[in-house]
Amino acid sequence: MRSVCVIGLGLIGGSVLRSAAAAGRTVWGATGSTADSEAAAADGFTVGSVTEALKRAADEDALVVLAVPLPAVDQVLRQVGDLAPHCLLTDVVSVKGPVADAVARHAPETRFAGGHPMAGTSASGWSASSADLFRGAAWVVVADDDTDLAAWRAAADLAIDCGAHVVPVTADEHDAAVARISHLPHVLAAVLASCGADGGPLALALAAGSFGDGTRVMGSRPELVLAMCEGNRPALLAAVDDALGKLGAARGALASTGSLGATIRAGHSGRAKLTELRAAGTARVMVDLADRDVIDELQLIGAQGGRVVAFENDLAVAEIPGD
């Protein structure tokens, strides 16, 4: 099992370190946070400086995992390019296009496959991390046309070892999708929380499940939310425009006819589609990783809402919706 070096030991990076260790891998990490470094060391993990961690990664041919916020990616990648330029590299940052661009600028010799586990909480830091955070979660591993297959397999192996299933998609497909199901919800939650607070003490005293559920993610540190959302600006703009159009239509209908029927029915239908997808049966397919068209096959699996759940030697075991 390939060793794992994690740079950044907050909620996600710390959980990667814990999960990989629980799977039997040799792990170590580094973080710029003194509090996270001391807490991880107190829990028995090897934590050093970024320089020390990357030098060891180069010596042991480890998989390097970038788990820092997007604004810190360039700085860390410059160190990767200097100290561990030939290591396999992945990341767990919430946007993929900008990270791939940064890798090309600062660490072009690395073999890279971007990643993004779709799991988290509103808490942050090492103390919030857990070896079970990714159990049953979707974990994107980017399969662009130029993705290095060895890096893709290494990142996918790590995801499966952490208890997740792998969704192979292009960076552009990922960024467009998460703009709608992750980044837009954060923006809408911010608006909802602000509107609720504007109602004063009475409104907040009456707040119950719908308001709490709708604003939960606003318990996250604002700088982390800003880095995530602003880092995906083009795709998020399109999603916000779509939401504004729907809100405008709802406002127009409410003002003119008093009815919100079209809006509510469309929302009910959207939620039903999510429920149906999660309850749908799956068909199992085997993907030969030695096939010259394997990247195309992986992209098709992801685009259909499928996932890779295991590896059997050079075969990827995938499940796609359907009977």
Side-chain angles (χ1 to χ4, degrees):
M1 301 175 76
R2 188 181 295 272
S3 300
V4 176
C5 168
V6 182
I7 308 299
L9 299 178
L11 169 67
I12 302 299
S15 296
V16 172
L17 199 73
R18 291 183 188 272
S19 300
R25 296 197 185 218
T26 299
V27 302
W28 63 91
T31 175
S33 166
T34 300
D36 287 341
S37 178
E38 292 176 349
D43 285 342
F45 290 90
T46 300
V47 182
S49 69
V50 174
T51 296
E52 292 168 339
L54 290 176
K55 284 183 176 179
R56 180 177 175 184
D59 290 341
E60 299 189 21
D61 193 24
L63 173 64
V64 176
V65 182
L66 268 61
V68 298
L70 184 61
V73 163
D74 284 273
Q75 178 184 349
V76 174
L77 281 173
R78 280 191 285 267
Q79 293 174 280
V80 171
D82 290 339
L83 301 171
H86 303 295
C87 281
L88 298 179
L89 177 68
T90 189
D91 74 290
V92 290
V93 182
S94 59
V95 291
K96 301 276 59 80
V99 175
D101 292 342
V103 171
R105 288 194 305 271
H106 302 301
E109 295 181 40
T110 58
R111 291 170 290 167
F112 172 68
H116 182 201
M118 302 303 298
T121 70
S122 59
S124 59
W126 173 266
S127 62
S129 64
S130 166
D132 295 322
L133 181 66
F134 309 116
R135 190 133 328 258
W139 188 316
V140 169
V141 181
V142 171
D144 278 327
D145 292 343
D146 60 351
T147 297
D148 182 274
L149 191 58
W152 186 90
R153 173 67 186 269
D157 275 333
L158 174 64
I160 289 173
D161 278 354
C162 289
H165 57 262
V166 174
V167 180
V169 296
T170 68
D172 287 344
E173 287 172 331
H174 167 275
D175 290 353
V178 297
R180 291 180 173 273
I181 56 84
S182 178
H183 304 164
L184 178 63
H186 279 79
V187 174
L188 295 178
V191 173
L192 179 59
S194 179
C195 286
D198 287 346
L202 175 59
L204 294 179
L206 297 177
S210 59
F211 185 78
D213 291 346
T215 61
R216 176 187 60 81
V217 294
M218 280 300 98
S220 303
R221 287 164 48 195
E223 63 269 25
L224 297 180
V225 177
L226 286 169
M228 174 179 67
C229 292
E230 292 175 355
N232 198 22
R233 181 172 176 265
L236 181 55
L237 277 171
V240 169
D241 284 344
D242 191 13
L244 287 174
K246 288 178 168 61
L247 284 171
R251 195 233 180 249
L254 186 63
S256 62
T257 68
S259 173
L260 288 173
T263 297
I264 300 304
R265 284 191 290 272
H268 182 77
S269 175
R271 176 68 187 190
K273 289 177 181 178
L274 173 64
T275 302
E276 291 167 6
L277 179 65
R278 289 178 172 175
T282 58
R284 177 160 289 198
V285 297
M286 307 296 283
V287 179
D288 186 351
L289 297 178
D291 192 312
R292 61 181 297 177
D293 296 321
V294 64
I295 293 294
D296 292 339
E297 295 178 52
L298 292 171
Q299 289 173 351
L300 181 60
I301 287 169
Q304 292 176 305
R307 60 193 187 176
V308 174
V309 297
F311 292 101
E312 296 179 3
N313 297 319
D314 287 333
L315 296 176
V317 182
E319 295 175 349
I320 57 175
D323 298 322

